[in-house]
Amino acid sequence: MSEQLMDGTQGGFETNRIRHVVSRFAYGPILLLALGVLWWGVDGGGPFSLGIVANSLYIFMLILIGALEFYIPYKQNWGTVRKASRADVLYFMAAAPIDYLHVFLLISILASTASYHHYVTVFDIWPSHTHILFQLLLVTLIVDFSKYWYHRATHEVPLLWRYHSIHHSLDRLEMLRASYFYPIDIFLTVAIGTLSLLFFGVDYEIIVFHNVFAGITGLLNHSNADLKCGFFDKFLNSPGHHRAHHSVGLPGSRSNYGSFFNFADRIFGTRYLPEDQSDFGPLGLEEGYNMPKTVLKQLAVPFRWNQVHPSPEADKSQG
Ligand SMILES: [Zn+2]
Ligand SMILES: [Zn+2]
């Protein structure tokens, strides 16, 4: 009996140690894997088209991050895909068609027209001849700065906060909720990134690379997997930064608007990450909001704002 107990304890110790190692070291390799596969896709992708490489990678990441939510949950009570509500599933499913619409409007129609380089590309200086990884870095920095200002505006401009508040009504984060956005919000987030790249005449493949990579970091930032970022916290807008962004009250709720890097937040003084990342307090909206829970009612929120946030003098954005 005691031997059995000892074995069990030892087994538990081993299992915990593996969990600890995964939690401590998985973040970097996941990003590198995504980067490597997309680089390969942009660089030719062997017999596969970039679309196949990108979609396969995205599906693989959904499975991997979903599995990590089970294996190393950040908060046991936040739940996993098992606790998904109907709204979680509907928003998640709506993300793909919204993204296709963005690709159709901005790439298939706008960027492929003959006049694109005359009218959309303002600075026709893109260094297409340089190494792909250098272009990817440049693209990520440009998009980070444009998305930073869009995201910050959705918090600071009351009219935009009417729809961005729906994303911030989440009281717990998990991968499936990475697309929990009012449709126009998610469309503009992606479209503003793409448009800023079109201004510089960036090639289509690089734009696809960036959008897929941003999608994967979005999954990571919203997941309930306990991925410690350590060194990466210094320059990336890691999951800890995004949990702080979703927390109730200051300074977290007015911080970390960036996407991939945290340089924009550092430059404009909005980066915030506490030393202790084990608990960011309650997440969601401040008291006084009556945010409905169903998708249909949430779609009406911007038009019925007084019912959601009745106090007019408090009609200021927050996060
Ligand atoms: Zn936000
Ligand atoms: Zn979020």
Side-chain angles (χ1 to χ4, degrees):
M1 177 72 185
S2 61
E3 237 173 57
Q4 267 177 347
L5 265 177
M6 270 181 69
D7 279 346
T9 314
Q10 218 162 30
F13 178 71
E14 278 302 315
T15 315
N16 281 340
R17 210 163 58 171
I18 299 169
R19 276 182 216 271
H20 176 77
V21 169
V22 172
S23 168
R24 179 75 186 78
F25 297 107
Y27 184 71
I30 291 172
L31 288 182
L32 276 178
L33 175 72
L35 191 70
V37 171
L38 284 168
W39 177 16
W40 177 66
V42 172
D43 213 19
F48 308 109
S49 70
L50 177 59
I52 291 178
V53 172
N55 284 319
S56 311
L57 175 71
Y58 196 76
I59 292 166
F60 173 77
M61 284 294 168
L62 283 174
I63 296 167
L64 177 69
I65 299 167
L68 288 173
E69 287 190 323
F70 280 93
Y71 190 59
I72 43 165
Y74 172 69
K75 292 274 183 200
Q76 292 287 351
N77 61 347
W78 274 8
T80 58
V81 70
R82 289 170 297 184
K83 285 190 185 168
S85 69
R86 190 179 299 173
D88 293 342
V89 176
L90 287 174
Y91 279 121
F92 187 80
M93 283 168 43
I98 292 172
D99 192 51
Y100 282 123
L101 181 69
H102 137 263
V103 171
F104 175 71
L105 291 176
L106 294 187
I107 312 251
S108 302
I109 295 188
L110 184 66
S112 57
T113 56
S115 50
Y116 154 53
H117 279 279
H118 292 291
Y119 298 117
V120 185
T121 304
V122 179
F123 311 102
D124 204 356
I125 49 167
W126 192 253
S128 308
H129 56 281
T130 55
H131 196 280
I132 285 178
L133 285 185
F134 175 72
Q135 291 186 55
L136 299 179
L137 176 72
L138 221 51
V139 155
T140 310
L141 285 169
I142 291 170
V143 174
D144 263 357
F145 276 87
S146 59
K147 279 189 181 172
Y148 171 90
W149 283 108
Y150 169 71
H151 188 188
R152 189 165 168 178
T154 60
H155 281 258
E156 296 184 357
V157 178
L159 206 62
L160 305 184
W161 173 248
R162 286 188 184 196
Y163 60 71
H164 190 60
S165 58
I166 288 158
H167 182 59
H168 282 274
S169 66
L170 298 170
D171 56 5
R172 55 178 217 279
L173 294 181
E174 55 204 62
M175 179 187 71
L176 197 67
R177 298 180 139 192
S179 312
Y180 200 108
F181 283 91
Y182 199 78
I184 192 74
D185 199 6
I186 198 162
F187 178 86
L188 285 176
T189 301
V190 191
I192 280 163
T194 301
L195 270 177
S196 61
L197 297 180
L198 293 179
F199 280 144
F200 288 92
V202 179
D203 295 331
Y204 165 73
E205 287 81 9
I206 308 281
I207 295 178
V208 172
F209 162 87
H210 179 268
N211 285 346
V212 178
F213 194 66
I216 290 168
T217 54
L219 293 176
L220 284 166
N221 277 358
H222 290 91
S223 88
N224 186 26
D226 188 17
L227 295 165
K228 308 262 191 287
C229 300
F231 164 72
F232 295 102
D233 277 334
K234 296 204 185 308
F235 56 95
L236 298 188
N237 203 342
S238 59
H241 286 81
H242 203 64
R243 284 175 190 136
H245 176 69
H246 274 268
S247 65
V248 176
L250 299 170
S253 62
R254 285 297 189 117
S255 70
N256 306 336
Y257 300 112
S259 293
F260 183 64
F261 292 115
N262 60 35
F263 300 140
D265 283 290
R266 280 184 186 276
I267 290 169
F268 302 113
T270 48
R271 179 183 178 257
Y272 169 70
L273 187 70
E275 197 69 39
D276 178 12
Q277 293 188 40
S278 60
D279 193 2
F280 291 92
L283 307 189
L285 296 168
E286 277 176 358
E287 268 181 51
Y289 284 84
N290 308 308
M291 186 59 77
K293 298 271 183 234
T294 66
V295 173
L296 266 185
K297 285 184 177 164
Q298 285 183 353
L299 290 180
V301 161
F303 312 102
R304 303 166 69 192
W305 188 242
N306 281 343
Q307 291 170 34
V308 176
H309 196 238
S311 147
E313 68 275 10
D315 188 7
K316 292 197 178 100
S317 56
Q318 62 99 47

